[in-house]
């Protein structure tokens, strides 16, 4: 090998590859490293090696891109590439690539969030159509305080076409009911709010991208006032009688505005 | 780095304990979700306690069992969130319980939870089917750093699973 090395010094050494983009392959442990081969590779054939930093894990190939495996999910890596001829003559290493962090794709992703502070409504618009269902996690707290509520509508409509069945309890009274929204405000979520107490609500919207069937959704929500002086626990199964894909969701305070302690979080589930 | 929906801790119950606790909970998430699937060693009440606190739990439970009309219960100032409220769980079949604890890391707001518990006594009889759903308030602005699943006065059978998830918003 030392003899080959002397050939390199005689002009046989390949020129340096040009680093391209390193991309996460979504397995949690592997990355694809792109590069541009050197214009001069010298004598014989050439094999390229991509090396990670940290870890010095390597992958090899006869061209771009090269896959480097065995990486650790959640760790940020950069990569360099060099060429090696079958005579054992190596090029210099390329510059380092961009940093990339391998990760396993999540089936539960955060789409958007807002506090809605000072506003009377919050809208999630241009909702991506890439999920199977939507999941809303809300911490509701309007300036109105006790026995108020928040309305939820879809696609900016008046949503009189929502029908629902509701079960729940308030105090010591359990109730079941079924109805259709008629006020034009959408489905109603009862809330209670003070400077230190809000109302939790979790909503699942199923198959929201369908263009040929009505949309179903469930809500779980409630509130408990200090000392349990007032309390509500509600569960709704509902249908939005519209075949259009849902692209926006609006939550509107019945009266007053949302405090800074509200939390509106929209997630997509694949 | 926190991800959107992540398992923070999970355990398979062993040693027939009466409490399963997850402590030193990361404060990097928006909400917590605790999911338990378990059987019990003897009929017992089930509860949730946070930060080891024995006070200031209030809740509203909607409860149905055995095909009867549902009932509602409101409680204030309890020692824990009571998910059975006087109706013990039998020993034959596992129960499933899910708690959602919102804004658990807040140091300004009292803590709100939503929970859902289901239990069916066995395959061939519906004599002890139960479903309870509720909303609770722990009146403290302290960030929640531990959660405990309680089998009040009795023990959990071995083999059940309890998992804590962290949920992070954008």
């Amino acid at each position: 090998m030392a003899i080959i090395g002397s050939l390199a010094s005689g002009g046989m050494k390949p020129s340096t590859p040009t680093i391209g983009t390193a991309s996460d392959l979504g397995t949690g442990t592997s990355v694809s490293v792109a590069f541009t081969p050197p214009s001069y590779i010298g004598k014989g054939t050439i094999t390229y090696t991509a090396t990670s930093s940290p870890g010095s894990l390597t992958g090899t190939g006869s061209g771009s891109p090269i896959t480097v495996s065995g990486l650790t999910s959640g760790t940020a890596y950069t990569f360099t590439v060099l060429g090696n001829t079958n005579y054992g003559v190596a090029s210099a290493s390329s510059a380092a690539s961009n940093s990339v962090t391998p990760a396993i794709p999540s089936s539960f992703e955060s789409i958007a969030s807002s506090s809605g502070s000072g506003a009377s409504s919050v809208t999630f618009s241009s909702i991506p159509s890439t999920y199977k269902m939507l999941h809303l996690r809300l911490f509701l707290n309007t300036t109105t305080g006790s026995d108020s509520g928040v309305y939820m509508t879809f696609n900016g409509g008046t949503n009189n076409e929502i029908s629902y069945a509701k079960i729940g309890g308030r105090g010591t009274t359990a109730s079941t009911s079924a109805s259709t929204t008629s006020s034009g405000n959408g489905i109603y979520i009862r809330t209670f709010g003070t400077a230190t107490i809000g109302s939790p609500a979790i909503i699942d919207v199923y198959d929201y991208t369908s263009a040929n069937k009505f949309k179903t959704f469930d809500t779980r929500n409630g509130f408990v006032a200090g000392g349990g002086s007032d309390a509500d626990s509600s569960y709704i199964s509902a249908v939005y009688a519209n075949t259009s894909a849902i692209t926006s969701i609006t939550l509107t305070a019945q009266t007053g505005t949302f405090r800074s302690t509200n939390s509106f979080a929209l997630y997509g589930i694949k | 780095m926190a991800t959107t929906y992540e398992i923070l801790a999970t355990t398979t119950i062993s040693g027939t304990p009466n409490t399963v606790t997850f402590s030193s909970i990361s404060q990097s998430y928006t909400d917590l979700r605790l999911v338990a699937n378990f059987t019990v060693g003897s009929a017992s009440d089930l509860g949730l306690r946070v930060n080891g606190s024995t006070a200031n739990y209030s809740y509203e439970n909607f409860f149905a069992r055995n095909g009867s009309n549902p009932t509602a219960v409101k409680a204030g100032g309890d020692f824990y969130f009571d998910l059975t409220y006087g109706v013990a769980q039998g020993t034959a079949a596992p129960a499933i319980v899910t708690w959602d604890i919102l804004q658990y890391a807040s140091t300004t707001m009292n803590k709100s939870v939503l929970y859902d518990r289901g239990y069916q006594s066995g395959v061939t009889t519906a004599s002890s089917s139960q479903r309870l759903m509720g909303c609770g308030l722990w009146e403290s602005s302290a960030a929640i750093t531990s959660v405990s699943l309680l089998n009040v006065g009795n023990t959990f059978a071995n083999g059940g699973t309890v998992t804590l998830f962290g949920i992070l918003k954008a």
Side-chain angles (χ1 to χ4, degrees), chain A residues 163-221:
Chain A
S163 299
Y164 62 91
K166 176 182 176 181
I167 59 175
R170 186 162 195 194
T172 57
T173 302
S175 63
T176 63
S177 62
S179 188
T180 299
T181 56
S182 58
S183 65
N185 290 322
I187 202 79
Y188 184 67
I189 303 166
R190 187 182 297 279
T191 63
F192 173 91
T194 70
T196 57
I197 298 175
S199 306
I202 297 174
I203 301 167
D204 288 304
V205 184
Y206 302 93
D207 206 7
Y208 69 104
T209 62
S210 172
N212 57 26
K213 66 181 180 185
F214 296 163
K215 311 303 182 296
T216 53
F217 63 98
D218 295 329
T219 73
R220 295 191 293 136
N221 66 281

Side-chain angles (χ1 to χ4, degrees), chain A residues 108 110 113 137-138 167-172 174 195-198 202 220 222-224 226-229 231 235 263 267, chain B residues 4-5 31 33 58 60 62 70-74 76 100 102-103 108-110 112 114 133-135 137 139 167-170:
Chain A
F108 188 103
S110 180
S113 66
R137 303 180 69 84
L138 312 174
I167 59 175
R170 186 162 195 194
T172 57
T196 57
I197 298 175
I202 297 174
R220 295 191 293 136
F223 68 77
V224 180
S229 57
Y235 308 89
S263 176
Y267 301 86
Chain B
T4 301
Y5 197 118
D31 301 335
R33 171 169 282 183
S58 301
E60 174 78 29
F62 176 83
T71 59
V73 171
K74 183 183 72 172
D100 284 286
L102 283 76
Q103 307 289 308
T108 58
M109 300 299 288
N110 293 326
S112 293
L114 292 169
M133 299 180 285
C135 179
L137 178 74
E139 290 185 67
I167 301 174
L168 181 67
K169 68 182 179 182

Side-chain angles (χ1 to χ4, degrees), chain A residues 174 176, chain B residues 62-71 126-131:
Chain A
T176 63
Chain B
F62 176 83
F63 181 65
R65 63 170 176 147
N66 303 344
S68 301
N69 288 331
T71 59
S127 62
S128 186
S129 57
Q130 304 171 16
R131 182 75 184 268

Side-chain angles (χ1 to χ4, degrees), chain A residues 114-124 142 150-151 153 249-258 264:
Chain A
S114 171
S115 72
S117 179
S120 59
S121 69
V122 168
T123 296
F124 293 111
T142 71
V150 172
Y151 292 101
T153 59
I249 298 174
T250 298
L251 296 129
T252 304
Q254 181 182 20
T255 59
T257 58
F258 295 118
F264 302 84

Side-chain angles (χ1 to χ4, degrees), chain A residues 18-45:
Chain A
T18 302
I19 194 67
T21 301
S23 307
D24 180 21
L25 290 175
T27 66
T29 58
S30 59
V31 164
S32 175
V33 182
F35 63 95
T36 301
S39 55
Y40 175 74
I41 64 171
K43 188 176 180 181
T45 59

